[in-house]
Amino acid sequence: MHARLSRRRVPHFAHQPGAPDDCTEGEESPDHLYLKWCLLTAAQEAGADAAPEVAGPDGAWRADVLASDPGGRWRMALEAQLSAITTPDIRDRWNRMLGDGVPSIWFCYRRPPWLGVVPSVRLGEVYDTAVVMEGLARFADGEWVKAGPMTLTEFLRRVFDRQMVAYSPERRAEGLILDVLWVDGRCLRAEADYQESQESARAREETERRREEEDRRLLDARQQHEDQLLQARLYEEEEVTGPSWRLSDAEERRQRLQQITRRMVRRVLAVAERKRRAAGMPLPHLGEAGQDTVGWASDALQKRGFRTHHVGRTLGDDRYAGGVPLMGETAHPVAVIDPDPARAGSRVLAACVLVFTTWELRTRFVEQAPPPPWDVADHYVTLTLDFNPPKPVTVSPPASTPLHVSIPRQPTDSTRVAGPCVCSAPRLHAEFPEGPEAVEPCQDTTPASAFLTARCELCGCRYDGPWRRIPTGLAGRKGLRKALEGQ
């Protein structure tokens, strides 16, 4: 049989003159014959030599249309498959042709079960032109997606020129269910570039992860070393000092509790700093609302069961060397932030953990501060947060709105008398936010005595011992007694 046009220009296949009556092509359906004619004409228009019904070696197979290069470099079978066939049978026929060096492409009108099992496409017609409707794919946004329709002639031309190849992609969009798809060579290069960029990104992430793990390991090792040194210092202090005959039982218990609390404060601050560094979170700094160093340390301690708070009005007190104190559960100072070395030397400061925001401040304090009292500690216990706080920004309030700040009035340096009070029966008073009040010495430190400074009216000196407020009724009786004695 051969393809030809009728007088009305209708394409069809006709028997060769003198063909036998038992010709097999006479049993084919009109749709099958028409599809073979479309494949034949499209292959010829694509620039290939094409012939219908070409048998393979020893008659092992027969191609509906065999397209070949005019120079004889390649051959390709174009198969029109409209009848039902199983997937194993079509795979077997494809393997037989490929074994003889002839790859094959299978064409159909509907979607049979074998579509995509072997290199194949589904055809349709648009304005009497054969068009490839399904079986094409393109690479976009990191995955393979369905490509638009393409004329049969253009499809065969790209296949013959090796511009399109059969490919089984891994990353594909939802709905692209065919195993074997026809893709453009440029899309293959785009996929290779994308995979290379992804691998480079993964390699960079792995390198960064390993670097962070190494930094975390070094930081943990450094922290463990500091914890061991701190523990050794505490044990050494306990062995050297021991219970002192100068201290009462209450003072001894308070000092031991202060040592334990000081050690826990040191560890909690270091653990919180390590976690923030490991998580890549910015470290807090003084002056920033909601994330100041004192608030951060207090929150970290409260999570561990400590009840801590600080009072800003004590900033600048000589007992804390101008630093910010951090009070413990029993209203005793357990840490001081950024103390001034020129004002150091008090017993309270020597019994606290000294927290510095920068290494420069810590180095300056260690070099310039006087040694602590011999009966409290042999050296200061310091902790450096290792970050630089930004410079505070001064914002002037509007002229029409006065700024009211409730700060107790403290004695200035010019009115202070050097040295503490040594009176046997001191008469004390302290400046509270609501005004001055008379106070009296006591045995245990109270929250008020930890925050405020008391002075003796007799000698004018600062009173460093513990004191408390005088109850209202007792204060009235004492005032009445003084009035009677004056009469």
Side-chain angles (χ1 to χ4, degrees):
M1 298 188 68
H2 65 280
R4 69 180 185 181
L5 297 176
S6 65
R7 295 178 180 178
R8 296 183 178 181
R9 309 297 296 176
V10 177
H12 66 282
F13 284 93
H15 286 278
Q16 296 285 355
D21 296 335
D22 58 350
C23 178
T24 58
E25 283 78 1
E27 301 176 358
E28 297 179 359
S29 65
D31 290 340
H32 187 268
L33 294 175
Y34 178 70
L35 180 55
K36 287 202 302 184
W37 182 85
C38 290
L39 296 176
L40 179 66
T41 55
Q44 293 173 350
E45 292 176 357
D49 293 339
E53 299 298 332
V54 178
D58 301 330
W61 49 268
R62 179 182 296 272
D64 291 337
V65 175
L66 184 65
S68 60
D69 179 50
R73 293 174 297 178
W74 53 265
R75 292 186 302 168
M76 185 174 295
L78 310 179
E79 294 294 322
Q81 186 64 39
L82 302 181
S83 60
I85 186 174
T86 62
T87 299
D89 290 343
I90 197 170
R91 186 181 288 112
D92 182 65
R93 292 175 58 183
W94 181 79
N95 287 329
R96 287 202 305 268
M97 292 183 181
L98 190 62
D100 292 333
V102 180
S104 58
I105 307 176
W106 299 76
F107 300 85
C108 61
Y109 286 139
R110 300 178 181 86
R111 177 182 284 191
W114 52 263
L115 184 63
V117 175
V118 295
S120 55
V121 293
R122 181 175 65 86
L123 298 178
E125 283 191 353
V126 178
Y127 300 111
D128 297 332
T129 301
V131 177
V132 177
M133 305 298 295
E134 187 176 5
L136 307 180
R138 61 184 179 86
F139 190 77
D141 297 332
E143 62 180 0
W144 291 92
V145 297
K146 184 178 180 180
M150 183 183 300
T151 62
L152 178 60
T153 301
E154 179 65 17
F155 170 73
L156 292 178
R157 184 186 65 78
R158 294 190 179 186
V159 171
F160 295 158
D161 293 342
R162 300 292 194 274
Q163 296 180 6
M164 296 192 73
V165 294
Y167 181 61
S168 296
E170 295 181 0
R171 297 176 55 90
R172 58 178 67 193
E174 185 178 358
L176 203 64
I177 60 176
L178 300 184
D179 292 338
V180 180
L181 298 167
W182 290 91
V183 301
D184 195 279
R186 292 172 295 181
C187 293
L188 287 177
R189 290 190 293 271
E191 183 189 30
D193 295 340
Y194 177 80
Q195 291 179 353
E196 183 178 358
S197 63
Q198 291 294 104
E199 291 177 359
S200 300
R202 285 193 294 267
R204 289 193 299 269
E205 292 177 358
E206 181 66 18
T207 303
E208 183 68 19
R209 184 186 64 82
R210 291 180 179 178
R211 187 186 64 80
E212 292 178 356
E213 289 182 355
E214 181 66 18
D215 294 344
R216 191 179 302 112
R217 185 185 64 80
L218 295 176
L219 185 61
D220 291 341
R222 172 185 171 187
Q223 186 60 45
Q224 291 177 2
H225 179 67
E226 293 181 358
D227 291 343
Q228 292 174 0
L229 292 179
L230 176 62
Q231 188 174 7
R233 292 172 187 171
L234 293 176
Y235 289 158
E236 183 180 355
E237 289 178 5
E238 294 176 358
E239 292 177 358
V240 173
T241 59
S244 176
W245 61 271
R246 299 185 181 89
L247 302 177
S248 64
D249 294 340
E251 290 175 343
E252 179 69 23
R253 288 195 301 270
R254 182 165 59 250
Q255 189 181 60
R256 296 302 180 190
L257 178 62
Q258 219 169 44
Q259 290 179 353
I260 296 174
T261 306
R262 178 177 62 182
R263 180 171 56 186
M264 295 302 297
V265 169
R266 171 70 172 80
R267 291 182 178 178
V268 169
L269 290 176
V271 170
E273 179 188 357
R274 270 206 315 273
K275 289 184 177 180
R276 278 180 171 263
R277 288 185 182 276
M281 300 173 61
L283 293 176
H285 53 265
L286 290 172
E288 183 178 353
Q291 286 189 346
D292 59 286
T293 303
V294 178
W296 169 55
S298 300
D299 294 341
L301 289 172
Q302 289 176 3
K303 293 180 181 179
R304 302 302 192 281
F306 289 91
R307 297 179 181 177
T308 61
H309 59 279
H310 74 281
V311 180
R313 60 171 175 266
T314 59
L315 184 65
D317 198 297
D318 284 341
R319 289 174 297 173
Y320 310 114
V324 179
L326 185 65
M327 299 300 171
E329 184 177 7
T330 56
H332 296 289
V334 294
V336 178
I337 297 179
D338 287 341
D340 184 6
R343 304 166 68 176
S346 66
R347 297 171 59 88
V348 176
L349 195 67
C352 296
V353 178
L354 306 184
V355 182
F356 297 94
T357 55
T358 64
W359 284 103
E360 291 77 7
L361 293 177
R362 186 257 181 194
T363 303
R364 183 169 67 91
F365 183 89
V366 172
E367 293 177 351
Q368 301 179 9
W374 64 271
D375 58 340
V376 178
D378 57 349
H379 55 270
Y380 295 102
V381 178
T382 62
L383 167 64
T384 305
L385 299 181
D386 193 18
F387 63 88
N388 295 319
K391 296 182 180 179
V393 180
T394 304
V395 180
S396 301
S400 59
T401 304
L403 182 62
H404 299 285
V405 181
S406 177
I407 300 178
R409 180 170 50 86
Q410 299 291 338
T412 61
D413 293 337
S414 60
T415 61
R416 289 178 180 174
V417 180
C421 175
V422 294
C423 298
S424 59
R427 184 183 301 172
L428 307 179
H429 74 277
E431 290 287 342
F432 288 86
E434 57 272 12
E437 292 187 20
V439 297
E440 63 180 1
C442 63
Q443 183 178 3
D444 296 330
T445 302
T446 62
S449 64
F451 297 153
L452 304 177
T453 301
R455 306 191 71 83
C456 179
E457 297 179 358
L458 301 178
C459 63
C461 297
R462 182 182 70 253
Y463 183 73
D464 290 341
W467 53 265
R468 64 181 179 182
R469 282 182 172 182
I470 301 177
T472 306
L474 184 59
R477 288 195 297 269
K478 288 187 176 182
L480 179 59
R481 182 180 301 174
K482 292 180 180 179
L484 294 176
E485 292 176 354
Q487 293 177 358

